[in-house]
Amino acid sequence: MKRLRQIPALLQTIESSQGKFDVLIKNITMHAYIPESYGASFVRYIQRIVDMCPRVSKFAFASQCQLPPTARLPILKPSITHLQLHAAIPPAEIIDLLKIAGENLMWLLIYVPSSYQTWDVSKVCHLPNLTDLLIETTPLGNNHLTPFAQILSMPSLRRLTFKVDHFAQPGFELLDMENFTSFCRIHGHYLQFLHLQPNFSWTMRRYTASLQRLLDTCPIVDHLVLHPCAEPVAHSNVKWIDIWSPHPAAAESWDLLRQSLNKTAFPKLQRVRELSSGLALFFDVPTLIDAIDRQEDAFELAFHGIKVRHDVGFVQGQRHIDVDSIYGPGGEADDDNSSDFSFSSDESRDSEHSSRTNSVYSLRDLCHGTSDVDNYSSWESD
């Protein structure tokens, strides 16, 4: 639901169908902006929709705007297995949602913004069946990863994605990965898949990320997806490496990283694949697009303004809004005084950047027509 008027319209359709339509609904995704004046109505309508749909297993609040004080998310059914919370939901509300849906939850996407001051670490959320976790942060929100890790119990966690976001400023060219490492020190022992997803290209050119200590906390990971700004690393168990392609201005350091992905650093390595930065908007590219080993198996896809070609060792992607073509070498964003790198304060910088770029989307949902990426891309070009 991308428009406010769709919420009461859906409820009216369900109520008038006399039990014929509600059983067909398995996925509820909210993209709409909820104004403060509509908060109470939103709570009433969305709770009624959730209560009337017995087969709902996925709930996503994917709006990039915070809920107003007059609104809250619905009380979810224990049948929920997939939960996405993109926007800045208050910590207490997140904990309440996880306590209700936690028993059967298998897949979780959560956003950790900079505005969270404290987490109540005495309230541990047990998620016994959670296998997949995706975490979005802002540059300042990275500081809250450690307390967030302390409130979660995830014994079945096998796949973890970090949306890595950082502002490169003079004197801050190295991204501090300690908070990410602390998270994996608690939850990385049984990870098999680790993805360090980059943000858009204009934040990827002026910093490096040291990942070795983080990898050391994940002893059995076998599929690693590397951020293009990573320093060379090594691991004894990794068999498959995907690496996101770099911004052109960072190509030299990326070449050193790419050359280091060999049997010396990764004794069990079987496959290395490059992923086009044009697809970095989508968190599920590494798992959704299977690798190929023969050129005769190469294929192309085209949908919703996105073109994908998979050759041996390389997944190429193009969107009708391509940040590399806009902010290439020598372009506007290469200027040290450009707006992307000059902000009045950390808080305003964090807030502005997260509202523009800190969003992840599912390639699978886009194929099914449920992603909001088309609206986002059009807005991005304004």
Side-chain angles (χ1 to χ4, degrees), residues 130-177:
L130 189 75
T131 58
D132 294 74
L133 176 63
L134 296 90
I135 299 179
E136 295 184 71
T137 68
T138 61
L140 297 180
N142 295 341
N143 297 326
H144 301 283
L145 283 173
T146 300
F148 179 58
Q150 294 172 340
I151 68 169
L152 298 177
S153 171
M154 303 178 290
S156 300
L157 186 65
R158 297 296 180 267
R159 288 170 289 276
L160 174 63
T161 295
F162 286 120
K163 176 68 176 289
V164 179
D165 197 358
H166 181 59
F167 286 107
Q169 297 284 321
F172 296 93
E173 290 83 6
L174 180 64
L175 172 60
D176 184 2
M177 297 298 296

Side-chain angles (χ1 to χ4, degrees), residues 171-246:
F172 296 93
E173 290 83 6
L174 180 64
L175 172 60
D176 184 2
M177 297 298 296
E178 181 55 36
N179 292 300
F180 299 91
T181 302
S182 296
F183 189 97
C184 288
R185 194 173 288 122
I186 298 173
H187 299 294
H189 300 293
Y190 301 106
L191 287 182
Q192 299 171 351
F193 171 84
L194 178 62
H195 180 189
L196 298 154
Q197 183 187 5
N199 207 324
F200 288 116
S201 294
W202 61 79
T203 67
M204 288 165 31
R205 296 167 302 157
R206 304 185 179 187
Y207 69 90
T208 57
S210 180
L211 306 180
Q212 189 59 60
R213 292 180 60 192
L214 188 154
L215 283 182
D216 291 342
T217 65
C218 307
I220 67 171
V221 65
D222 56 21
H223 186 178
L224 175 64
V225 187
L226 282 173
H227 193 285
C229 297
E231 293 180 341
V233 291
H235 197 281
S236 61
N237 197 64
V238 169
K239 301 175 183 177
W240 178 357
I241 297 177
D242 287 325
I243 178 172
W244 289 101
S245 60

Side-chain angles (χ1 to χ4, degrees), residues 201-202 204-205 228 245-251 254 277 323-324 327-329 334:
S201 294
W202 61 79
M204 288 165 31
R205 296 167 302 157
S245 60
H247 186 280
W254 184 89
S277 60
V323 294
D324 281 344
Y327 296 103
D334 281 331

Side-chain angles (χ1 to χ4, degrees), residues 2-3 29-31 62-64 84 86 163 197 200 277-285 303-308 318-323 356-357 359-382:
K2 301 179 182 180
R3 304 288 184 270
T29 300
M30 301 290 306
H31 291 282
S63 173
Q64 300 307 307
Q84 298 184 32
H86 287 264
K163 176 68 176 289
Q197 183 187 5
F200 288 116
S277 60
L279 295 172
L281 186 67
F282 305 103
F283 61 78
D284 52 358
V285 168
F303 48 88
H304 288 266
I306 295 177
K307 297 180 180 179
V308 178
Q318 291 181 331
R319 305 198 313 273
H320 59 282
I321 297 297
D322 191 334
V323 294
R356 289 186 56 192
T357 66
S359 310
V360 292
Y361 298 93
S362 166
L363 191 62
R364 182 187 298 275
D365 286 349
L366 182 64
C367 295
H368 294 165
T370 60
S371 174
D372 202 31
V373 67
D374 287 335
N375 287 348
Y376 180 84
S377 296
S378 299
W379 172 69
E380 178 188 352
S381 65
D382 290 342

